[in-house]
Amino acid sequence: MSKVDEDPPLLPPKTCPAMAPPAAVGAGAVAPGKGVPTDASCTTGLPPAAAPSGCASTASNTPARPAVSDGWCTGVELDLIVVENILAFSEGFWVRLAARIDLCKSDDDKKDYEELAENIMNIVDRVVHKTDEKIEQSTDVLKAIISPVMQEGEEVMWPPRNPEALKLMEKEISNREKEGQLDESFLSEVNAQLRQVKGDGDKPGLQVMLQKVLQLYASNFLRKRSYAHKGGEVVVPEKFLESIIEAPESDWNKLLLDGLTVGKGVVSPEEFHAVTKKRIERILIRTEGGSYQQRVLVEYIKEIQARAEEIVNRLQGPAV
């Protein structure tokens, strides 16, 4: 990463695996619990929440946080500001901060900013280190889940040779979910691996296996909440949908043919479309917007919905 030409530099640059500051911005003993100064008179490129109250900020899209009564944000508040705006601390941020330190009108102001920069760099370092640890943990969890179908030195085959492999994967996912290990970091890792495999295009078996991991995750998560009973009565379309959610993907066609009125069942295509649409709405309400979890769960219901529409189209023409 490039460095800013300064004469002389305030400090040797501090490194960070993901977003190292490109220029030294100063040092000084950091007082315990000391966070953001609010009485300096410099112009800064800091987010408004981090900038001193007497200074102008060039970042207008960052939510501000109030300073504590003694004129300083607490260490906890600074941690939150940095974590919530972690992507803002790019190379350009550190260039602007280093340049603006030189514009400070007093040594006290300059020291305040040097301490602030040191604090921010330390927090960023911790976040990156914690993220790296989380990625490693998520990779280990994924390896454990797919181990029943992985043969050392062999290309991944799907369906697996061992007929029990899928059940073992499902059991591992259930166990890991109970331990709280199937979080956003895990889903992010699976999606990252899937994107890479799709891009390479030479490992179709691995691609299908990773997609199966996401299907098993969604099935395991969605089966925990039932909407099949209301007022002491069974809601037949909901019960039918939940039977498909819990079933292996290879059984969907048979279940749909047996349950829909276009086949042997009692649930009309219109009723099934309505309950799948309602289930997607419930997922959107109960999960964090834009999260991997939300995307995976919604995609799973849409896959069921699309399969049903395909069967209806084949047997009686266009679906609802």
Side-chain angles (χ1 to χ4, degrees), residues 35-85:
V36 183
T38 59
D39 59 351
S41 57
C42 319
T43 302
T44 177
L46 292 171
S53 59
C55 303
S57 170
T58 60
S60 60
N61 60 344
T62 306
R65 286 182 176 273
V68 294
S69 58
D70 63 354
W72 291 80
C73 287
T74 66
V76 172
E77 287 175 327
L78 181 58
D79 283 352
L80 291 174
I81 292 169
V82 173
V83 171
E84 290 174 359
N85 300 278

Side-chain angles (χ1 to χ4, degrees), residues 241 244-245 252 256 272 300-308:
L241 172 60
I244 299 173
I245 287 174
W252 287 0
L256 288 166
F272 191 71
Y300 186 69
I301 299 299
K302 285 184 175 181
E303 288 176 2
I304 295 175
Q305 192 178 58
R307 187 73 62 87

Side-chain angles (χ1 to χ4, degrees), residues 4-13 23-26:
V4 176
D5 294 327
E6 293 182 338
D7 186 21
L10 299 173
L11 258 191
V25 292

Side-chain angles (χ1 to χ4, degrees), residues 165-174 216 223 246:
L166 195 57
K167 293 182 179 179
L168 293 173
M169 286 177 62
E170 188 172 1
K171 182 179 179 180
E172 187 68 24
I173 282 179
S174 178
L216 292 174
R223 71 179 62 189
E246 297 175 10

Side-chain angles (χ1 to χ4, degrees), residues 74-145:
T74 66
V76 172
E77 287 175 327
L78 181 58
D79 283 352
L80 291 174
I81 292 169
V82 173
V83 171
E84 290 174 359
N85 300 278
I86 192 69
L87 296 180
F89 300 102
S90 60
E91 182 174 346
F93 169 86
W94 297 106
V95 171
R96 293 195 302 273
L97 179 56
R100 283 165 173 73
I101 285 178
D102 289 338
L103 299 178
C104 288
K105 298 177 182 179
S106 71
D107 290 341
D108 286 343
D109 291 342
K110 180 175 291 189
K111 183 178 179 181
D112 285 341
Y113 275 100
E114 289 172 354
E115 292 182 1
L116 173 61
E118 181 76 9
N119 281 342
I120 293 174
M121 285 189 285
N122 288 337
I123 296 168
V124 171
D125 280 344
R126 293 199 304 270
V127 170
V128 172
H129 179 69
K130 189 68 176 178
T131 300
D132 289 342
E133 286 184 343
K134 195 66 177 174
I135 290 173
E136 291 179 5
Q137 292 172 2
S138 298
T139 301
D140 291 340
V141 171
L142 178 58
K143 286 180 179 178
I145 290 171

Side-chain angles (χ1 to χ4, degrees), residues 288-301:
E288 182 180 350
S291 65
Y292 280 108
Q293 182 189 50
Q294 184 179 88
R295 290 164 55 185
V296 170
L297 298 180
V298 168
E299 185 62 30
Y300 186 69
I301 299 299

